Structure formats: structure tokens, C-alpha cells
Amino acid sequence: MSTLTTPVETYRPSYNKRKRSISPPGSPSRKARPVIPRIQDVDPVRRQERERQLALKLAEQELQDQASRDDSKTVQTFDAKAEFAKLTASSGKGGGVYIPPARLRALQAAAAASGDKSSPEYQRMSWDALRKSITGIVNRVNVLNIKQVVPELFSENLIRGRGLFARSVMKAQAASLPYTPVFAALVAIINMKLPQVGELVLNRLVSQFRRAFKRNDKIVCHSTTTFIAHLVNQTVAHELVALQILVLLLERSTDDSVEIAVGFMREVGAFLAENDPKSNNFVFERFRVVLNEGKISQRVQFMVEVLMQVRKDKYKDNPILPEGLDLVPEEDQITHEVVLDGDLPVHDGLNIFKFDPNFLENEEKYRQIKTEILGEDESSDDESGSEESGESEEEPVPEKEGIEDKTGTNLVNLRRTIYLTIMNSLNFEEAVHKLLKINIEEGEEIEMCNMIIECCSQERSYSTFYGLVGERFSKLNRQYTTAFEQAFRNYYDTIHRYETNRLRNIARFFGHLLSSDSISWAVLDVVKMNEEDTTSSSRIFVKILCNEMMEEMGLKGLVERFKDPEINDICKGMFPLDNPKNTRFSINYFTSIGLGAITEEMREHLKNAPRLIMEQRRALLEEESSSSSSDSDSDISSSSDTDSETGSDDRASSVSTSVR
């Protein structure tokens, strides 16, 4: 049976492909793109960037050619305001784009030349200047200069820039926690005159703590609670917020929360113990409960036990107000009561620039506030200066005789200036450059040298910074070389007055100067290495001095330098050869400090000392014998002469008798 087979038609779907239409030639809607040469580069990212830059360059060149060909096109004038507004247009929190300094100065000059101080361009320039000034002042505040920094800070518009101040002080505190008491004191002073600024800082700190606590950010929580604790100590914040933070941290105790609470309590515990003893006892009872539960690690348990001991010691290492930071009188203190779970206005919009239609009026108002805060000294000084200048123009001022300062005030101010200059310098070149600008009268070079040495001695460990400063001064001016040599003699004579750490730093400082030939080795003539002329301090000083010289010059170089005839003649006191006892003492001393190689000459001298002594004695005996023999010969000759004279006399007398 034959089957009927029919061909099966397979299904083939039809795709309606769209054909690309070809633009007619010379169509004005599509322009021919410039041919960009392909750049060969191994790095694909760099190749794409180079091609992009080349394309931009070609496009710019094409636009310039087209502009030059178009005769009807007018030349556009440079609009400074439009350019400034374009570049400084705020885009989010960052605000604007980077402007090169030269271009920014040109734009500022063009905007200022317009004379409209209420324009957005001028306001933006003043805002940028305010931000930079506040940030710079906050970053350089410390315990020593806080009284000088506060007037500079008040001279800026802190009402307009209170958001900038709050952000700057919080960033600076988070970056340097040991300076938290200084920043808290600064905020307390500002809060005394401008309470809204202190309240804004406190609100932002509490808000930041709440966010960090929800995110389990231990680092931010620690820095924020430390700042809040010191604000409580300065009575800027009420102690209620500190107790709320402690209750929150100890309610559900974990290792991190208890650790933060311990650190917070160490800072604020002394204040709570003095002003709110009941709350303080409650907090420590809660610490005991956490300790007895045993849910925390042994490390945190040990921290709690240390906190208990700190409480027993009455927080002697954590005072309420450190020395030099109690700057706000009690009657002028303003305390803000902030609740931890309340609505806190942080005013984030104060951090960015906004156009102020009443800019000039607000600036005038703050100028009056600044005059009220800082007093009218500036205006009175200006008026008195103008009056004095007018009088000087009318009548010549007679020259006044110089006033001699016998109170030592000028000397104290000079030392303070030198100390602050050294402490605020980043490297030795900057320090030398700044110190040379200080007006030092003739004969006061020794004060500069003494202050450099004193600053070096106050460090915990020796820093080559001071040695390089001393070396640079010695090589710049011969007067400083002489002053350092005199300082070496003075310090060696009084070295027994210094403790071991300061003695070590001074010895290493002078060791660096000697090894670099910054001062003459003739200063070593004051060193007498014997048992009578040295003390334990002077021997330690010489040991550290020689070890420092050996580290920089090497033992071989140091030995060769001491063998130099000129230096060897200078250092007779260090290497005595006059007395075997002193020689033996010097040999034992230098051998014990690891410098036995420089005692070879003394050892040779001590080895040959008996033979030299015998030769000296023999020479003395020979001299004595020769002198005695000459004396005996002269005695014999004198006796013979007397005998002959007596004999002749006898004969003459006998002859005379016979003649008679």
C-alpha cells in the first residue's frame, strides 16, 4: 500500500527589516564631521581620553575658523558678571566649580570695579572669603593663642557664617580629639556674646550623635560625645543632655556602647559629681549592674573598673576646666537646654551660599554688634591717629629720648615670640625663615640661641628639627656661631641643674652642631675629664655628646678628628697626660662608653710612663751628682789656694826674721 507523501512546508517567519534611508547629497540637515585621526596607545582609557581631547581641539579650531570667516559676526565683549555667575553657580552642597586663582582674582577685580556691593557676584566673593577666614582661624586655635584668636573670629560676620563656624569647629574637633577642650572653650566664648551660634553647634552635635548611634558608627559617636561632654563642662549645654546620653548608652549594654559611655563619663564625670551627685551615683550604679551581668567582654570590664578607680581619685587627670581655658565668667555663661529626643533645628541651609537682598543692612548691623563686643578701640585709635597725623603735619614732633626697659618685659615678649614661631613651624626651613624676620637688637643673639636650646630640651625625645635650625643659623651668621659656642660653655657649667631627659636633648643638639662643624671644636676645652672636675651629670652629657657625634661622623671619622694636632691640643683636658691617675680615669671612662679607639695615645703614654719616670729620675740624679762633684772640686781648689797663701806668708815672715 503506497502512502501518499506530501511535502511539508516549513514555517519561515518574515522579518520586515527597515532599510536605512540615504540622505541626499548636500543636505543641510546633516553636516560632515571632521575626520579625527586614530591614536595608537596601549592603554584604552588613555587612548579614548587623548582622542576626546583631540576632537575638542579640532572642534574649537573649526569654530575659530568659522568665526573668522563670518564678517558679519560682531566681537563679543567679556562680561565679568555673567562669567562669574556662570562659574559660581551653586550646584548642590558643593557649590560651583573650581576656579583657578588667577582667573578668580580677575573676576573679583572686575566685579568689585562695578561698585555694586549688593550684587550676587560681590556677595558670593564675600561668602567665599568668610568661609576661608573662619576655617583658617578655627584650625590654628590652641591654648596659647585662644585669647588672640577670639577677636579675629568676632571680626568676621559670625551671624551670617554661623553655619560655616559650626561645620568648621566640628570637623576640626573630629580630626584632633586632644584639642576638644580648646574648641569647647572657643564655642563657650562665642556663645557668651552670640548665643544662637552656640545653640546651633550644640543642636548639630546632638543630631549627629543620634544619626551615628542609629548607624552604629562608633568613631563618630565617640568624637561627638567628647565634644558634648566638654560643652557641658563649659556650661554651654545643660547636664540633662549628658544624663540622657548615658542612659541611652547603658540601657542596652554592648561592648561599643559601654566603651563610649566610659569615655564620656571620664570627661564629664567631675562636673556631674560636683553639680549633680545623685545623678552621678545613679550612673555608677548602672555601671556596676552592667559589670555584674557579665555580658560585656573582659576588655570593656577592665575599662569600667578603671573608671571606678578614676572616680576614687576624684578625676585628677580629667579636671572640669583645664588650665588656661576657664575664660568665661559665671555671670556671663549662657546654658542651652537640649532634649535628646526632641526636634532640633540644625539649619543645614546655612552651610551654602544664598543671595541676601538686605545684604548691606545686615552687614551694617553686624558691624555695630562687633563694635559693641570688641569695644570702640579701633575707631578711637583711628581718630587719635588721624588727629596725631594732623598735628604732626602742623608742628614737628620733638624727638624723644630712648626709654630703657628695666622690667624685662621686652625680653619676655621676645622669648614668647620665638617660642610661638618655632612651635607653629612645619619644618626647620620655615622656622629659620620666620625667626630671621624677628627684630633682634644687637647683642640679643644669645637669647635666640638659648630659646632654641630650651625648646629642644622641653621635647620628650630629641628632634633633628632643632639641630637643623641651629646649624642653619650658625652657617648664616657668624654672630650666631659665637652665641652657640658661648651657650655650650654656659650649659656645660650648669648641666647639673637639668634632669636626665633635658640633659640628653641638649647633648644631642650640641653633638649635631659639632659633627656638622657649625661651631668650633675649641669649645671642648671646658671639658676636664678627671675625677675632681667632673660630676655624674657632666659625664652623662659628654657620653651622649660623643655618641651623637659618632652616629653622624662614624667612629673612624671621630677618631681621625680627635687625632688632628690642633684639636688634640685643644682637648688636652679630655685626654690628660699630665698625671697617670687622670689618664687612667679618662681611659676607663671613654672605654666604658664605647669609644676606646680614641684612647690609644693615652694607653701608649700610660704604658711608657714607668720608663719615662725612670729616665726622669736618672736625669735628676745625674744632675744632682754633677752638681755635687763640681761643688767638691771647687772646695778642694779653694782649700789649696788658702794653704799656698798661708805657706808663702810663713816663708816671708821667716826671711824677714833672718834678715834682722
Side-chain angles (χ1 to χ4, degrees), residues 203 214 245 295 410 445 500 527 563 583 644:
N203 289 340
K214 291 179 181 179
I245 291 174
K295 295 181 180 179
N410 295 337
E445 292 83 4
T500 306
V527 182
K563 287 183 178 180
T583 305
S644 60

Side-chain angles (χ1 to χ4, degrees), residues 627-641:
S627 61
S628 61
S629 61
S630 61
D631 292 341
S632 62
D633 293 340
S634 61
D635 293 341
I636 294 171
S637 61
S638 61
S639 61
S640 61
D641 292 338

Side-chain angles (χ1 to χ4, degrees), residues 489-531:
R489 292 184 170 89
N490 295 338
Y491 275 97
Y492 182 77
D493 292 338
T494 60
I495 200 64
H496 57 277
R497 301 177 184 174
Y498 297 92
E499 58 185 7
T500 306
N501 186 57
R502 298 185 64 186
L503 184 149
R504 181 183 295 108
N505 292 342
I506 295 172
R508 295 191 65 181
F509 175 82
F510 283 113
H512 177 84
L513 294 186
L514 288 170
S515 61
S516 60
D517 290 328
S518 301
I519 60 176
S520 173
W521 286 49
V523 297
L524 297 176
D525 60 353
V526 299
V527 182
K528 308 295 182 184
M529 191 51 63
N530 54 65
E531 192 172 358

Side-chain angles (χ1 to χ4, degrees), residues 534-554:
T534 59
T535 62
S536 59
S537 299
S538 63
R539 289 192 287 269
I540 294 173
F541 177 82
V542 175
K543 171 189 174 182
I544 299 172
L545 176 76
C546 293
N547 287 336
E548 180 69 18
M549 294 162 61
M550 184 180 66
E551 288 181 4
E552 298 198 12
M553 300 175 61

Side-chain angles (χ1 to χ4, degrees), residues 21-22 35 75 154 176 201 232 239 307 356 493 503 550 638:
S21 59
I22 301 174
V35 180
V75 179
F154 275 120
S176 55
V201 174
V232 172
E239 61 266 20
L307 177 63
D356 185 9
D493 292 338
L503 184 149
M550 184 180 66
S638 61

